[in-house]
Amino acid sequence: MTKRNKKNQAEQIVQEEVQVVETPVEKTKKEQWEEFKIKSKQKYDVIMEDLKNPVKKAVRRRKVGSKIVAILRGFIFFGLSFVIFYPIFQELSVAFKNPIDLNNKLVNFIPENYSLFNVYISAEVLDYWRSLWNNLQVSAISTICQLFATALAGYALSRLKFRGSNIIFWIIMLTLIVPPQAVAMSRSFYLGNFDIFGFFENLLGHSLKLKGEGRAIVFYLTSLTGQGIRSALFIFMFRQFFRGIPVELEESAQIDGAGVVRTFASVMLPNARGVITTVALFAFVWQWNDVYYTGLYEISGNAFPMLTSKMITASERLQSLLDYIKMDLNHPYRDLVIGLGEGITKNPLFNQAILNTSALMMLAPILIAYLFVQRLFIEGVERSGIVG
Amino acid sequence: MENVNELQNKNSHKPSSFLNVLKKIMSFIVKNWFFVFFPCRLIKELIYDKLRYEQQKVFVSWLFLLPTILGFILFFAYPLGKSFLYSFSTVKSNGDFVFGMVFPKGNTGYDFSAPGTWDLWNNYKYALRVNADFPVSLWNTVVNTVVDTGVITIFSLLVAVMLNGKFKGRTLVRAIFFLPVVFNSEALEAAKEATEGMSAVMNAQGSGVLTQLFDLKLFLQGLGMPVQLVTFLSNITQTIYSTISYSGIQILIFLTAIQSVPKHLYEAATIEGATGYEQFWKITLPMVSPMILTVVVYTIVDSFLRSEICDIMELVLQNNEYGYYAAMSWLYILVSLVLMAVITGILSKVVFYYDEKK
């Protein structure tokens, strides 16, 4: 009611105003001033009444609060996004910069001379296309293996409980808690001479050699048995997700005549699209960026190059590549390399530029893939919090 | 050029050999499908179909867990036990070991033909007394881990709460915030370490401009804040990038936890007139607290993996000192487990478990 009254008041005031405007003929300045005074006094009263109204007060406070929060949030997000994007910008700028600009103090972000020289050199040093193919193959297959093992285990530990399954869960969590360095060395010995109670010895006459150049099967095997890169975390995530799915769904499937496996395959898995995306993304990216295990199992080599290990040793091969380009008379970049001179090619900055470029090239495929998967991934973040 | 040709040949050879193996396996299955699938069918018809539904559940559960348990025994428990034995013994380069014996060192590793002396704790003695770096860096690691864990947990909780709110461009911001998970690469760091001393040069070129512009340290000290606090704060701000890039998973865990908080709690609180701030402390934090435990454990593990102690252990491994390495890794496990036990022990007093059925 009060609100309506106030509205009426305000309307009256407006009407008065209109009347005043309609008869502006022959008024002294003093009268005008008086009128203005009265009008402003009325407006002032209305505003004051508004300010004192407790309901409006609360509304106002909430509005101002949310505005301030929004501004603050905007600042924080903008700052953090800047921090995240800064190195990517830097690497992009370095990648397309002519090395001549490296010694130029005036060039900071936008290169003065563009060139694909850095990209070309990085691709050569990384053995890019072959490494890319190998990386893609290894990451994709082991991601599928990881998904298979962890989804099954996560489902079994959350919905198909039996006495003692909690103990199994904690034992599996132990693999996350114990640092991989502790297991790594003896596991590496073991994989170099793999055998299960003399089974392969009897069958084939020799034990299996599961590590060494090109034997990426180690990754598939460990992923398939839930011992890949942070598999325990994925099991945890799947368990967390499946626990949240309402029991009624399972019961109705059971009443409709679906068996246990059928329930899992056609009721639970389609719901788990989000968490599957999340896990797949992490598994893929971690396998892609992995240095530790690739080095430990000695997978990478000249016949089977992989991006990460090529990248670590990139600076060793740089100078010999430059020398090779200098010797090759028909090489398109020969003039450029000779023109650069040792002042730049022996400069650590140049080395750094090449490393940054190769890092960008190494991560570019996942970045592009992320752009496409991102929507599903974010959706997965929201969905994996399903509650009954 | 010959070299290149050879490489190309190998390249073309590689996928085809992989396909060949696949083909072989497939043809084996196709030819012998009866013998491959018959036992499965037999098991299904004779055992599985005769079970009650609850028993079927248990059966399937074991079936689903089978690969993981197998992998746990083969690739985790067995190597872990073996590394425990290694830590008390002298290890040959092919993985054989002599338990509890110490051999004199020859030119190329240990001289196993010489008579050894019995000393069970030799490797541990080496790690704690002879190696100058190990105990110091172990202590540093513990300190850094505690600080890191605190910072990352609080940071990721705050970010998750902020990301959970409704605002324009939320999808974009979320996509950006999980970008470091993708972009964060150990390889890059390792490569940069390989060409050490270069970050200084890089800083001189321009990436240092930021820190020069906002020299927080000088500014705060000028305001009269205590030096130690300023150093602590500036360390945190300087490592903001690594903090963001290492808190991706944590943000994810918190975000899902926040979203699984029942909405009716918030509705009731809003009707009662609670502000967002109060809602955070009274609803969000208690409801999320079990996940705080998870995040803390994960963060401890993660920051142990990135600590300086790994470099020292790597150095020992490169010298083929497997016994020393095993002893160090067991000390490292013990320390990390103790740290985890202490922190989770403290935290579990605070953790609140919400039970909907009550």
Side-chain angles (χ1 to χ4, degrees), chain B residues 42-247:
Chain B
L42 217 61
I43 289 172
K44 187 181 179 295
E45 280 178 359
L46 286 185
I47 304 173
Y48 180 75
D49 285 347
K50 286 180 184 167
L51 296 174
R52 283 183 293 114
Y53 186 73
E54 292 303 314
Q55 287 169 330
Q56 279 184 0
K57 259 185 167 180
V58 175
F59 184 86
V60 174
S61 183
W62 277 107
L63 200 69
F64 281 6
L65 281 174
L66 188 71
T68 311
I69 291 172
L70 207 69
F72 176 81
I73 293 167
L74 279 182
F75 299 122
F76 187 82
Y78 177 71
L80 194 69
K82 208 159 187 191
S83 106
F84 186 68
L85 291 181
Y86 279 166
S87 72
F88 291 105
S89 43
T90 309
V91 187
K92 293 174 189 171
S93 57
N94 63 352
D96 294 340
F97 62 97
V98 187
F99 188 77
M101 299 295 261
V102 181
F103 292 96
K105 230 172 175 184
N107 288 330
T108 57
Y110 291 99
D111 185 11
F112 285 97
S113 55
T117 47
W118 176 264
D119 187 357
L120 204 58
W121 298 99
N122 179 46
N123 294 328
Y124 289 94
K125 276 179 200 157
Y126 171 82
L128 291 175
R129 291 197 189 153
V130 181
N131 194 322
D133 297 330
F134 186 76
V136 179
S137 63
L138 196 62
W139 174 246
N140 285 345
T141 304
V142 170
V143 172
N144 286 343
T145 302
V146 170
V147 173
D148 270 8
T149 308
V151 170
I152 287 180
T153 310
I154 292 170
F155 175 80
S156 53
L157 181 59
L158 289 182
V159 170
V161 168
M162 285 200 291
L163 283 178
N164 188 46
K166 280 207 165 65
F167 55 90
K168 260 184 196 170
R170 182 168 66 158
T171 353
L172 182 73
V173 174
R174 281 189 184 179
I176 291 173
F177 266 71
F178 292 114
L179 200 63
V181 178
V182 178
F183 204 71
N184 158 38
S185 166
E186 295 163 34
L188 181 57
E189 280 161 29
K192 278 186 176 165
E193 267 169 31
T195 56
E196 57 183 283
M198 249 166 245
S199 51
V201 186
M202 200 63 186
N203 275 342
Q205 197 219 2
S207 61
V209 167
L210 264 184
T211 46
Q212 281 161 20
L213 264 181
F214 319 110
D215 201 337
L216 197 76
K217 229 172 171 174
L218 275 178
F219 177 69
L220 287 177
Q221 273 176 4
L223 284 179
M225 283 171 91
V227 180
Q228 280 166 332
L229 186 66
V230 171
T231 329
F232 178 71
L233 281 179
S234 69
N235 277 344
I236 289 179
T237 44
Q238 272 167 10
T239 55
I240 186 78
Y241 182 70
S242 55
T243 308
I244 296 176
S245 51
Y246 294 130
S247 51

Side-chain angles (χ1 to χ4, degrees), chain A residues 143-144 146-147 150-151 234 237-238 241-242 269-286 366 369-384, chain B residues 178 181-182 249 252:
Chain A
T143 301
I144 293 168
Q146 287 253 35
L147 274 180
T150 55
F234 301 145
M237 281 162 85
F238 269 116
F241 172 79
F242 284 125
L269 271 190
N271 275 317
R273 204 180 61 176
V275 73
I276 287 175
T277 319
T278 313
V279 167
L281 184 79
F282 280 132
F284 192 88
V285 167
W286 282 337
I366 350 179
Y370 180 69
L371 288 185
F372 288 107
V373 186
Q374 165 261 116
R375 191 166 284 271
L376 207 61
F377 170 64
I378 301 297
E379 191 184 302
V381 173
E382 290 189 345
R383 281 244 192 122
S384 46
Chain B
F178 292 114
V181 178
V182 178
I249 289 278
L252 192 77

Side-chain angles (χ1 to χ4, degrees), chain A residues 73 76-77 80-88 90-91 94 97 102 105 107-108 130 133 141 149 152-153 155-157 159-160 162 168 171-172 174-183 185-187 189-191 194 196 214 221-222 224-225 227 230 233 235-237 240 250 254 258 260-261 263-264 278 282 285-286 289 291-292 302-304 308 311-312 315 348-349 351-352 355-356 359-360 362-363 366-367 370 374 377-378 381-382 384-385 387, chain B residues 7 10-11 14-15 18 48 53 56-58 60-62 64-65 67-69 71-72 74-76 78-80 82-83 86 91-95 155 159 162-163 165-167 170-171 173-188 190-192 194-195 198-199 201-202 204-207 209-210 240-241 244 249 252-253 255-256 259-260 270 274 291 294 297-298 301-302 305 310 313-314 317 322 325-326 329 332-333 336-337 340:
Chain A
R73 186 165 50 198
I76 293 173
F77 282 157
L80 292 180
S81 308
F82 175 76
V83 170
I84 291 167
F85 271 123
Y86 185 70
I88 302 179
Q90 208 176 19
E91 277 167 13
V94 164
K97 203 184 265 180
L102 284 175
K105 281 272 173 191
V107 178
N108 211 346
R130 282 174 56 211
W133 167 244
I141 298 178
L152 291 187
Y155 185 69
L157 289 172
R159 303 313 293 264
L160 308 174
F162 52 90
I168 291 179
I171 284 174
I172 288 171
L174 202 66
T175 62
L176 187 67
I177 291 168
V178 171
Q181 276 92 346
V183 195
M185 179 198 50
S186 42
R187 188 197 271 182
F189 276 139
Y190 177 50
L191 285 172
F194 183 74
I196 308 172
L221 207 64
T222 47
L224 203 58
T225 50
Q227 290 296 319
R230 295 188 198 168
L233 181 72
I235 292 178
F236 177 80
M237 281 162 85
Q240 209 66 12
E250 194 188 323
Q254 186 195 342
V260 184
V261 181
T263 311
F264 172 69
T278 313
F282 280 132
V285 167
W286 282 337
N289 284 339
V291 187
Y292 184 71
N302 274 333
F304 194 84
T308 46
M311 165 134 182
I312 288 172
S315 47
L349 261 180
N351 217 327
Q352 189 78 21
L355 275 183
N356 273 312
L360 191 69
M362 185 182 107
L363 297 172
I366 350 179
L367 272 182
Y370 180 69
Q374 165 261 116
F377 170 64
I378 301 297
V381 173
E382 290 189 345
S384 46
V387 194
Chain B
L7 285 180
K10 267 188 184 170
N11 187 23
K14 197 69 204 164
F18 175 73
Y48 180 75
Y53 186 73
Q56 279 184 0
K57 259 185 167 180
V58 175
V60 174
S61 183
W62 277 107
F64 281 6
L65 281 174
T68 311
I69 291 172
F72 176 81
L74 279 182
F75 299 122
F76 187 82
Y78 177 71
L80 194 69
K82 208 159 187 191
S83 106
Y86 279 166
V91 187
K92 293 174 189 171
S93 57
N94 63 352
F155 175 80
V159 170
M162 285 200 291
L163 283 178
K166 280 207 165 65
F167 55 90
R170 182 168 66 158
T171 353
V173 174
R174 281 189 184 179
I176 291 173
F177 266 71
F178 292 114
L179 200 63
V181 178
V182 178
F183 204 71
N184 158 38
S185 166
E186 295 163 34
L188 181 57
K192 278 186 176 165
T195 56
M198 249 166 245
S199 51
V201 186
M202 200 63 186
Q205 197 219 2
S207 61
V209 167
L210 264 184
I240 186 78
Y241 182 70
I244 296 176
I249 289 278
L252 192 77
I253 293 176
L255 206 53
T256 49
Q259 272 159 4
S260 65
T270 316
M291 280 298 136
T294 316
V297 169
Y298 179 76
V301 172
D302 203 39
L305 289 188
C310 297
M313 284 164 64
E314 207 59 31
L317 190 62
Y322 303 112
Y325 182 86
S329 60
Y332 169 82
I333 294 177
S336 72
L337 283 184
M340 233 173 273

Side-chain angles (χ1 to χ4, degrees), chain A residues 109-181:
Chain A
F109 263 109
I110 301 166
E112 215 169 77
N113 304 302
Y114 291 92
S115 126
L116 286 176
F117 179 69
N118 285 345
V119 177
Y120 171 78
I121 292 282
S122 310
E124 284 291 303
V125 166
L126 287 180
D127 200 350
Y128 189 62
W129 296 110
R130 282 174 56 211
S131 319
L132 191 70
W133 167 244
N134 287 339
N135 253 31
L136 217 58
Q137 187 186 321
V138 169
S139 300
I141 298 178
S142 57
T143 301
I144 293 168
C145 294
Q146 287 253 35
L147 274 180
F148 178 75
T150 55
L152 291 187
Y155 185 69
L157 289 172
S158 58
R159 303 313 293 264
L160 308 174
K161 280 199 170 181
F162 52 90
R163 191 181 292 187
S165 66
N166 267 338
I167 297 170
I168 291 179
F169 173 69
W170 284 112
I171 284 174
I172 288 171
M173 283 301 114
L174 202 66
T175 62
L176 187 67
I177 291 168
V178 171
Q181 276 92 346

Side-chain angles (χ1 to χ4, degrees), chain A residues 15-55:
Chain A
Q15 279 171 6
E16 280 170 22
E17 206 177 318
V18 170
Q19 283 169 7
V20 169
V21 172
E22 275 173 356
T23 56
V25 210
E26 291 177 30
K27 265 186 182 172
T28 57
K29 278 200 171 169
K30 209 177 180 183
E31 277 173 344
Q32 278 181 357
W33 177 241
E34 285 300 317
E35 253 169 43
F36 179 71
K37 257 185 172 174
I38 293 165
K39 241 194 285 174
S40 50
K41 176 78 178 139
Q42 283 167 342
K43 280 228 164 124
Y44 174 78
D45 285 347
V46 171
I47 291 170
M48 279 318 282
E49 216 163 307
D50 255 19
L51 281 177
K52 276 172 193 162
N53 188 345
V55 176

